[in-house]
Amino acid sequence: MSPQLTPPNKFLRYAPRDGSHVRYPLSIWERIHLDPWLLSFLLFNAILGLTVLYSASAQNTDLVMKQGMSFGIGFLVMLFMAQIPPKMYQGFSPYLYSFGVVSLLGVMLFGEVRMGAQRWIDIPGFGSVQPSEFLKIGMPMMVAWYLSRHPLPPRFKQVFISLILIGVPFLLIAEQPDLGTSLLVLASGMFVLFLSGLSWRLILAAITIATAIIPVAWFFLLHDYQKRRVITLLDPEADALGAGWNIIQSKTAIGSGGLSGKGFLQGTQSHLHFLPEGHTDFIIAAYSEEFGLIGVMILMLIYFAIIIRIFQISLHSFHNYGRLVAGALGLSFFVYVFVNAGMVSGILPVVGVPLPFMSYGGTAIITLMATFGVIMSIHTHR
């Protein structure tokens, strides 16, 4: 009598990885490689963002139309990128990373200077491009590509090489200077290392080193305006009409909203132009003033649903590359929300990080939608 075999799907390690477990016929969502839950959350967030932008921009329909076009292009980009299997992304990762690093070097050599920062490359007939946006996707994909080629958890050699891959773009972006984007790119790479099973000893050692570097960064690396932002965070009233104006007006707008807000189009801080950048970095303050605590809780619930869904997709991925990339992109999305909300509410320095799907900005939206295309590809290609 032959021994009784264990059912192949009883444990994940015995589950088929060649697609033989997929149900046939496929649903419409499986055929177009989109996740209906994640897509629903993104559409809801986009509609809410356009609604708030209409009010925060003083009912500027041209601005709302441009943002709507960016959303349309972004969804098309997401649909396109969802059709590409993760294995192709895995093979393409080094090239995307290299292109991003070379572009950053190009910014240093002949980049366009705006408001004292050299962050853009002007392409004739196309417009200005900010190469650091490419690394928001290219960084986690590159580190995941490298680590997935070795047994996990990574050894010291793999960790050291990964830190070099992370450090080069971080330093190039910080030199522009663009501290906010450089920290986001740094975090996206570090998240891949964390999800790869990095030992807690190495994590604690990294935290210790980072803590020791803070005084060095303060005296030798940070620019004067960056230092002023930190000082303003600690005591915004010290320069209430200057550097502290943004934070003071932002907190005033948030507090004046109360529980249910003043009502749509009834905000005073943004409509009377007390709130600076009310349609970009500080849009959540304008939103809070009109919709109050209840509205902010609904928005955070949408963000929470998006992040949880990304983590579910990451956990159900059958290959290390997809699991690391999806998890790192989910954590990066959380950081975008946390940093912007903390910046506007006065618990973090102002670093110019937009609120996902709410702040005005076409490049940021299209880049975000591209990341969700990669996540949906990881979910639907088994």
Side-chain angles (χ1 to χ4, degrees):
M1 179 181 297
S2 60
Q4 186 177 2
L5 298 178
T6 303
N9 291 322
K10 186 175 181 180
F11 301 105
L12 180 62
R13 62 178 178 272
Y14 296 129
R17 304 186 180 209
D18 57 358
S20 60
H21 66 296
V22 178
R23 295 178 292 103
Y24 290 98
L26 299 177
S27 68
I28 180 63
W29 298 110
E30 291 169 326
R31 287 199 296 269
I32 63 177
H33 298 288
L34 294 179
D35 176 59
W37 287 103
L38 188 55
L39 181 62
S40 300
F41 300 145
L42 295 178
L43 285 172
F44 192 17
N45 202 341
I47 294 172
L48 183 60
L50 291 175
T51 303
V52 177
L53 179 63
Y54 177 73
S55 176
S57 63
Q59 305 174 43
N60 189 332
T61 55
D62 291 337
L63 212 63
V64 176
M65 289 295 294
K66 290 180 180 179
Q67 186 83 334
M69 290 180 61
S70 298
F71 273 117
I73 296 173
F75 276 103
L76 291 177
V77 170
M78 182 188 70
L79 178 62
F80 171 76
M81 298 192 71
Q83 313 308 310
I84 303 174
K87 284 294 182 183
M88 292 189 64
Y89 285 120
Q90 185 172 2
F92 184 69
S93 295
Y95 302 101
L96 178 61
Y97 174 85
S98 301
F99 173 77
V101 172
V102 172
S103 299
L104 291 177
L105 293 173
V107 170
M108 292 182 59
L109 297 176
F110 43 83
E112 183 180 351
V113 179
R114 299 180 187 175
M115 296 179 292
Q118 191 171 0
R119 305 172 185 174
W120 297 268
I121 293 180
D122 186 28
I123 301 177
F126 182 80
S128 298
V129 177
Q130 191 171 354
S132 58
E133 292 290 330
F134 301 139
L135 271 302
K136 291 182 179 179
I137 305 178
M139 173 63 77
M141 292 176 63
M142 179 62 190
V143 180
W145 171 85
Y146 174 72
L147 292 178
S148 62
R149 295 165 59 89
H150 301 87
L152 298 180
R155 297 183 177 180
F156 179 79
K157 177 182 177 181
Q158 284 81 48
V159 173
F160 180 75
I161 295 177
S162 299
L163 291 176
I164 294 177
L165 295 174
I166 296 170
V168 171
F170 166 73
L171 294 175
L172 290 175
I173 297 173
E175 181 64 24
Q176 293 179 354
D178 190 354
L179 183 61
T181 302
S182 65
L183 291 176
L184 293 177
V185 171
L186 173 68
S188 66
M190 297 303 294
F191 286 148
V192 178
L193 269 177
F194 174 77
L195 294 172
S196 67
L198 199 64
S199 69
W200 285 105
R201 292 181 180 178
L202 291 177
I203 294 175
L204 292 175
I207 294 175
T208 304
I209 294 174
T211 304
I213 291 177
I214 289 177
V216 178
W218 177 265
F219 289 105
F220 300 103
L221 299 179
L222 293 182
H223 295 265
D224 291 338
Y225 79 94
Q226 294 169 340
K227 294 179 181 179
R228 284 196 300 270
R229 288 178 177 179
V230 177
I231 296 173
T232 301
L233 171 68
L234 300 176
D235 186 13
E237 284 75 16
D239 189 10
L241 298 179
W245 175 266
N246 293 2
I247 295 179
I248 293 174
Q249 297 303 320
S250 176
K251 292 193 292 185
T252 301
I254 294 173
S256 64
L259 180 62
S260 57
K262 297 178 180 178
F264 184 55
L265 300 178
Q266 301 302 314
T268 56
Q269 295 298 113
S270 57
H271 290 179
L272 297 178
H273 305 291
F274 287 103
L275 182 65
E277 305 296 334
H279 65 292
T280 54
D281 294 345
F282 288 85
I283 195 170
I284 194 174
Y287 172 79
S288 177
E289 183 183 17
E290 296 188 358
F291 295 93
L293 177 63
I294 296 176
V296 173
M297 291 179 65
I298 293 174
L299 176 61
M300 292 303 156
L301 184 62
I302 297 173
Y303 285 138
F304 180 75
I306 292 174
I307 295 169
I308 290 299
R309 186 56 185 161
I310 295 174
F311 288 161
Q312 289 177 337
I313 291 173
S314 173
L315 291 173
H316 285 88
S317 176
F318 284 121
H319 45 89
N320 288 332
Y321 175 80
R323 185 160 49 248
L324 293 175
V325 169
L329 292 177
L331 288 172
S332 298
F333 185 81
F334 164 77
V335 169
Y336 300 154
V337 176
F338 176 78
V339 169
N340 182 272
M343 172 187 75
V344 171
S345 58
I347 63 174
L348 292 176
V350 177
V351 292
V353 176
L355 186 65
F357 300 115
M358 301 290 286
S359 299
Y360 175 76
T363 304
I365 288 176
I366 295 173
T367 303
L368 270 175
M369 297 307 294
T371 64
F372 283 105
V374 174
I375 293 170
M376 290 192 182
S377 170
I378 293 170
H379 174 62
T380 57
H381 287 89
R382 302 298 180 97

